[in-house]
Amino acid sequence: MTSAGTTSDLVRRAARIGEDVAAPAADDVDRKARFPVEAFEALRADGLLAALVPQEFGGPGASVGAVAEAVEALARHCASTAMVFAMHQLQVACLVRHGRSALLRDYQRLLASQQPLLASATTEIGVGGDIRTSICAVESAEGRFRLEKKAPVISYGENADGVLATARRSPESPPNDQVLVLCIAPGLSLEVISGWDTLGFRGTCSPGFVLKAEGDDGCVFDDPFADIATRTMLPVSHILWSSVWLGLASAAVDRARRFVRSEARKTPGVTSPAAVRLAELMTIFQQMEEQVRGLARRYEEVCDDPEALSTMGFAIAMNNLKVSASTLVVDIVGRAMIICGIAGYREDSPYSLGRLLRDAHGAAVMVNNDRILANNAQMLLVHKE
Amino acid sequence: MRDTQGVDREIRAILDEHGRLPVAASTLKEDADLYQAGLTSHASVSVMLALEDAFDIEFPERMLKKSTFESVMAIHNALLELIAEVA
């Protein structure tokens, strides 16, 4: 296990793995829609899957802000790798901040020593994408639970060592009275029920599954899922996903910058239209960068204050981050395409933007922006500030 | 001026009309968890709006959180605080 690291150390290690391991495999991962195995072997070997585990359980106790920067560094090289890494860290964040049973505390020690990869099963077939509603229910008897859930999507389910799943608290509970359950071997089985052949983020390998799990009642989180969702899952997911998109946008900007520079070398002293377009692109990129970093800081300022995390103002701001960053990333990659021209449009050029453009379009549809805006619209009816 | 029982009755009437609970609000104890009883965050906003209208108050930002609306008693306490501020 690597020792506690500073933010810059964590980011440097993620950037090195991104450059040396994820980047060379990125096109193959994308083409074959395969899991980025080599990147995750390297991330595990370097202790990065346990980055958020507190020092008391043997982890380095990194902050969400530090992990966000590591996610961004990976995303410059392979957005699928970065997205899987981000989703895993989100599960770890839920465990670290809400896992209080003896079993869930022990699991954090195991996370630090063995670094299992954790996936998420929050959506369910039949609820129309609303993660705050469940059909399936935890059945508990004599200290053991059973759960069966039909999930339309479990990202990297086949490569995960454990899954955090939502379910109704009991078979008698209403659809919104949910709990979060850690589902792990030997009581976990996943049966694939659909494929994953998508425009982008192909390496996240996110087909549907029937999840069957049983285990000790200690696997069920004490905090209601409503609180976990509001205080941790919503803000941390939006920060980490936006960091993926920021890294992706930064890769596009980098290609545009290199293209403009190589053109400028051919005609010294002349400011080309592409160079002006690049200057314009940087204003938008800076807007995105400051927004992602600013909201990550805002979360860190209040992350230990459940009251502040539970206000509508905070939820609206975190939703705005998701909608804004997911829109800006498409805009930025599109502008980079205009700058690079045919060199960006080609699949066989060093300035190729095809994979980045396809990945960028995933941002608005993973938890659809329309659903998020509808939630904000509802909250804004009573929100006053 | 409303009496305590009147406030309680009005809260329950608003929950019945806007809370979309699977059970009648009159069956709930005053400290029963409304979210466990089926109140969604979406429906809770409708309840807030109806309460603001019925009691002619506005919930300030500091009260716009889950715990303010978690039970009939919690809503009652929040209303009493706001009505006292107005008076």
Side-chain angles (χ1 to χ4, degrees):
Chain A
M1 187 60 226
T2 35
S3 60
T6 58
T7 299
S8 59
D9 177 53
L10 183 73
V11 177
R12 205 163 35 240
R13 283 150 59 202
R16 189 184 52 74
I17 292 171
E19 196 172 337
D20 296 350
V21 189
D27 283 331
D28 190 62
V29 163
D30 177 58
R31 198 175 312 115
K32 295 179 182 157
R34 70 160 175 91
F35 185 76
V37 193
E38 52 281 83
F40 278 85
E41 276 172 9
L43 289 164
R44 187 175 275 129
D46 209 353
L48 291 177
L49 296 187
L52 287 170
V53 177
Q55 292 181 345
E56 61 167 314
F57 297 126
S63 67
V64 166
V67 168
E69 287 187 43
V71 164
E72 181 191 332
L74 282 171
R76 289 186 183 157
H77 304 284
C78 174
S80 285
T81 298
M83 186 53 85
V84 174
F85 184 70
M87 289 194 275
H88 163 80
Q89 300 294 354
L90 173 62
Q91 310 315 308
V92 180
C94 291
L95 256 168
V96 163
R97 305 201 73 90
H98 303 276
R100 281 188 300 274
S101 72
L103 191 149
L104 293 177
R105 291 167 66 88
D106 280 344
Y107 197 77
Q108 292 178 57
R109 286 188 192 93
L110 186 120
L111 260 168
S113 61
Q114 297 178 28
Q115 300 186 77
L117 184 66
L118 295 180
S120 165
T122 47
T123 53
E124 184 170 9
I125 292 173
V127 299
D130 177 9
I131 72 157
R132 298 291 288 274
T133 296
S134 286
I135 296 166
C136 67
V138 173
E139 292 177 59
S140 192
E142 292 162 5
R144 307 270 306 165
F145 80 90
R146 290 172 75 89
L147 173 63
E148 180 168 340
K149 178 165 189 168
K150 288 192 181 68
V153 169
I154 299 181
S155 290
Y156 53 95
E158 288 188 300
N159 298 86
D161 303 295
V163 180
L164 293 189
T166 48
R168 285 184 297 137
R169 182 180 302 277
S170 73
E172 293 76 40
S173 305
N176 69 307
D177 185 19
Q178 297 166 289
V179 288
L180 189 63
V181 187
L182 172 68
C183 306
I184 43 172
L188 170 66
S189 81
L190 288 170
E191 181 202 335
V192 182
I193 51 172
S194 57
W196 180 253
D197 184 5
T198 50
L199 190 63
F201 282 110
R202 295 169 58 80
T204 63
C205 302
S206 312
F209 291 89
V210 175
L211 173 149
K212 290 182 186 165
E214 54 181 49
D216 191 283
D217 273 347
C219 290
V220 181
F221 285 63
D222 294 335
D223 287 345
F225 178 65
D227 290 345
I228 299 174
T230 304
R231 295 174 193 166
T232 303
M233 197 174 269
L234 182 131
V236 175
S237 64
H238 290 184
I239 289 165
L240 296 184
W241 297 348
S242 296
S243 299
V244 174
W245 306 326
L246 178 61
L248 206 168
S250 136
V253 165
D254 185 56
R255 283 169 210 204
R257 193 190 280 127
R258 281 191 289 115
F259 179 81
V260 167
R261 204 169 288 152
S262 85
E263 291 298 293
R265 281 196 204 101
K266 294 177 194 161
T267 52
V270 180
T271 305
S272 70
V276 176
R277 287 270 182 219
L278 176 65
E280 184 185 42
L281 172 59
M282 292 315 291
T283 68
I284 299 163
F285 179 72
Q286 182 177 319
Q287 183 187 330
M288 181 182 189
E289 188 175 37
E290 291 301 319
Q291 190 174 33
V292 175
R293 301 259 160 82
L295 270 293
R297 270 196 305 276
R298 184 158 165 191
Y299 167 76
E300 300 226 301
E301 280 163 18
V302 297
C303 68
D304 294 320
D305 180 352
E307 290 286 296
L309 291 170
S310 305
T311 60
M312 277 192 182
F314 183 74
I316 291 169
M318 287 296 158
N319 281 344
N320 286 341
L321 168 65
K322 195 274 170 182
V323 172
S324 177
S326 62
T327 310
L328 285 173
V329 66
V330 174
D331 186 25
I332 287 169
V333 180
R335 286 168 186 268
M337 185 77 85
I338 295 293
I339 292 168
C340 296
I342 194 75
Y345 194 69
R346 297 182 70 102
E347 289 282 65
D348 58 356
S349 107
Y351 308 107
S352 172
L353 288 158
R355 171 164 53 84
L356 276 55
L357 186 69
R358 288 186 287 103
D359 286 342
H361 278 287
V365 299
M366 60 175 287
V367 184
N368 200 301
N369 281 359
D370 278 351
R371 176 181 297 281
I372 293 177
L373 286 172
N375 287 343
N376 271 8
Q378 180 77 358
M379 288 193 277
L380 285 164
L381 292 176
V382 286
H383 179 62
K384 275 116 197 156
E385 283 169 7
Chain B
M1 197 60 205
R2 292 177 179 88
D3 60 273
T4 303
Q5 280 185 340
V7 171
D8 195 270
R9 253 198 318 276
E10 196 146 3
I11 293 170
R12 288 174 196 272
I14 285 169
L15 282 170
D16 280 331
E17 194 175 347
H18 302 279
R20 279 176 269 150
L21 299 173
V23 294
S26 59
T27 64
L28 296 169
K29 288 187 184 153
E30 64 170 2
D31 61 349
D33 188 317
L34 293 175
Y35 299 100
Q36 286 191 20
L39 182 67
T40 64
S41 50
H42 199 263
S44 73
V45 170
S46 307
V47 170
M48 282 175 219
L49 282 174
L51 288 165
E52 289 190 340
D53 197 36
F55 291 90
D56 196 23
I57 43 103
E58 279 203 348
F59 290 106
E61 178 64 16
R62 67 183 164 84
M63 285 189 176
L64 293 181
K65 57 194 182 206
K66 190 175 166 238
S67 56
T68 307
F69 305 91
E70 71 188 356
S71 66
V72 171
M73 191 159 59
I75 296 173
H76 198 145
N77 290 340
L79 287 174
L80 290 182
E81 190 182 322
L82 291 173
I83 292 166
E85 277 173 19
V86 173

